[in-house]
Amino acid sequence: MKAVRLPRGAAVAVTAAVALATVPGCTEKQGEGGGSEAIQVTASDTECNVSRTTFPAGHVKLAVRNTGAKVTEVYVYAPGDRIVTERENIGPGTRADITAEVKAGSYEIACKPGMQGDGIRQKVTATGQGAARAGDPRLDRAIAEYRRYVQAQADETLPKVEKFAAAVKAGDVARAKKAYAVSRVGWERTEPVAESFGDIDPKVDVREDGLEQGQAWTGWHRLEKALWQGGRIGDEEKKLADRLVADLKDWQKRVGTADITATGMANGAKELLDEVATGKVTGEEERYSHTDLADFHANVEGAQKSYELLKPVAAEKDPALAKELDERFAALFRLLDDHRDKGSPDGFVPYDTVGKDDRKKLSDGVNALAEPLSKLAAAVAG
């Protein structure tokens, strides 16, 4: 989870808008990238322009271009500021094409120069019912299996979080530290879906520098700081442990309502790599516990799960892409395996012991995978 942000939504599909999610930038003239049928999004440091504010629901392609001097990101919001999807790290002068499936309805596209604040917003509308087309039974199976996977991750997370919370409430700092990173794995594997519920993420996974004005700091990272920096547990932390369990039970109950699509799964896999690039590789995510590698590994596992479920269709439509993704996933897991520690509760060495050269290798591995992974949605949309 990156430092400065609103409750983030997940590309993994939570709502039709997921497709829009593919919007990462904010537009320019039609025809300057992404093909003449793409919605052009031009993002500058002061504007967020889209080539069309009304378009047919269904498979949508957005061609994003950042014309500003700052790194930007783009969010797609459903009514009530529910975050549907987002794309990070769109560098100055760069482009990104995103493909997704959008249902009819009203949305807002927000460009966020410097990846901060509420963003510069444009209202857009998807009309009609979308193009009628026969569904691919392989994608239907992939979606059904992924839905079972995210629910299972939520179900398996709760007992681990309860164990962590019990240690906090007992005032046992050592036991709480051992349970901390393990309790986060299921969340990290399915973060795009989890974050699609914009009101849950800021309660459980926000960092101190990501707080909005007036927002109370709760969740894992608030407890992480108390355990590793303060080294003590007070009455407030014990209450926060109970609240963490309650908020994650809410997530567990709601995760099954996510609107999951094949393109949403693909975009969510890319979002997980963005999570790694902006928080884990930099060491910002777990700045007190230094358990970043456990989060890193879980993010990559979640991305690979989406890819493997979509692979039968992707490999048929773009065999070269599937071959490259197989190789890049394997290479990144090998790099992570170099930092295993069987004696650690989460299975990895503390990230503050990983040197500059090894961090560079990990970063390069993430970037090498992220580029082909960004093409997966287009491959399954066909």
Side-chain angles (χ1 to χ4, degrees):
M1 173 162 298
K2 64 178 184 277
V4 182
R5 61 160 167 203
L6 292 172
R8 303 175 33 190
V12 156
V14 171
T15 264
V18 163
L20 256 187
T22 156
V23 94
C26 278
T27 54
E28 54 183 329
K29 296 183 302 179
Q30 215 171 334
E32 273 207 71
S36 59
E37 295 181 359
I39 299 169
Q40 307 292 325
V41 180
T42 305
S44 71
D45 295 341
T46 58
E47 295 183 320
C48 182
N49 300 312
V50 297
S51 59
R52 284 179 285 159
T53 57
T54 301
F55 46 85
H59 285 301
V60 174
K61 184 173 184 179
L62 294 97
V64 178
R65 181 186 177 195
N66 181 3
T67 62
K70 300 177 182 179
V71 174
T72 195
E73 62 185 358
V74 173
Y75 282 69
V76 175
Y77 290 99
D81 260 12
R82 182 160 67 91
I83 303 172
V84 175
T85 191
E86 53 88 15
R87 175 69 63 88
E88 301 174 1
N89 288 331
I90 306 167
T94 64
R95 298 173 184 265
D97 288 342
I98 307 167
T99 302
E101 188 174 338
V102 184
K103 294 178 182 177
S106 298
Y107 305 96
E108 284 187 326
I109 295 173
C111 304
K112 298 189 178 183
M115 303 203 301
Q116 296 183 354
D118 291 341
I120 306 162
R121 301 192 180 198
Q122 294 286 354
K123 296 182 184 295
V124 296
T125 302
T127 61
Q129 300 300 315
R133 56 180 230 151
D136 188 323
R138 295 172 298 177
L139 294 180
D140 293 340
R141 287 193 295 270
I143 292 167
E145 180 59 31
Y146 189 71
R147 188 178 296 281
R148 285 191 288 270
Y149 173 73
V150 295
Q151 186 66 63
Q153 292 302 308
D155 293 345
E156 292 167 13
T157 293
L158 257 296
K160 296 172 183 177
V161 171
E162 289 170 338
K163 182 177 180 180
F164 169 62
V168 172
K169 292 170 65 178
D172 192 333
V173 173
R175 185 157 59 96
K177 284 183 175 181
K178 289 180 180 179
Y180 170 75
V182 176
S183 75
R184 291 176 49 75
V185 171
W187 173 277
E188 293 290 337
R189 285 173 178 159
T190 60
E191 203 161 1
V193 169
E195 291 179 349
S196 69
F197 304 105
D199 60 328
I200 295 177
D201 178 67
K203 295 176 184 177
V204 304
D205 200 26
V206 70
R207 300 202 305 265
E208 188 171 16
D209 51 354
L211 295 171
E212 296 298 313
Q213 186 174 3
Q215 179 184 348
W217 191 18
T218 60
W220 271 301
H221 294 302
R222 167 65 178 80
L223 294 169
E224 177 203 6
K225 183 177 182 179
L227 291 169
W228 271 272
Q229 189 174 77
R232 62 175 296 279
I233 298 170
D235 290 341
E236 183 181 0
E237 285 75 27
K238 292 176 182 180
K239 291 177 182 178
L240 289 172
D242 279 335
R243 177 167 176 178
L244 176 64
V245 172
D247 287 336
L248 287 170
K249 283 182 177 178
D250 184 26
W251 161 56
Q252 179 192 28
K253 291 177 182 177
R254 291 163 61 185
V255 71
T257 67
D259 183 5
I260 297 175
T261 65
T263 50
M265 289 168 60
N267 287 328
K270 174 58 169 61
E271 186 184 337
L272 284 168
L273 266 290
D274 290 341
E275 283 279 343
V276 174
T278 59
K280 282 68 172 184
V281 168
T282 62
E284 294 176 72
E285 178 80 357
E286 306 290 356
R287 61 190 63 178
Y288 307 110
S289 65
H290 305 298
T291 55
D292 302 88
L293 288 173
D295 289 358
F296 187 148
H297 191 266
N299 284 157
V300 179
E301 284 182 316
Q304 187 186 45
K305 180 66 175 182
S306 291
Y307 164 60
E308 290 293 341
L309 291 173
L310 297 171
K311 183 178 175 179
V313 174
E316 178 183 284
K317 295 183 177 180
D318 193 340
L321 176 63
K323 182 175 184 295
E324 183 176 8
L325 286 171
D326 287 341
E327 293 171 351
R328 297 300 186 187
F329 270 114
L332 187 51
F333 279 122
R334 285 195 297 270
L335 287 172
L336 284 164
D337 286 343
D338 288 341
H339 304 287
R340 291 280 189 180
D341 179 1
K342 293 181 180 178
S344 170
D346 60 60
F348 290 95
V349 301
Y351 198 56
D352 58 344
T353 67
V354 178
K356 182 178 179 180
D357 290 344
D358 283 335
R359 290 191 182 203
K360 177 65 163 55
K361 290 178 183 177
L362 288 167
S363 179
D364 289 346
V366 170
N367 292 335
L369 172 58
E371 194 281 326
L373 196 57
S374 69
K375 302 175 183 177
L376 181 59
V380 298

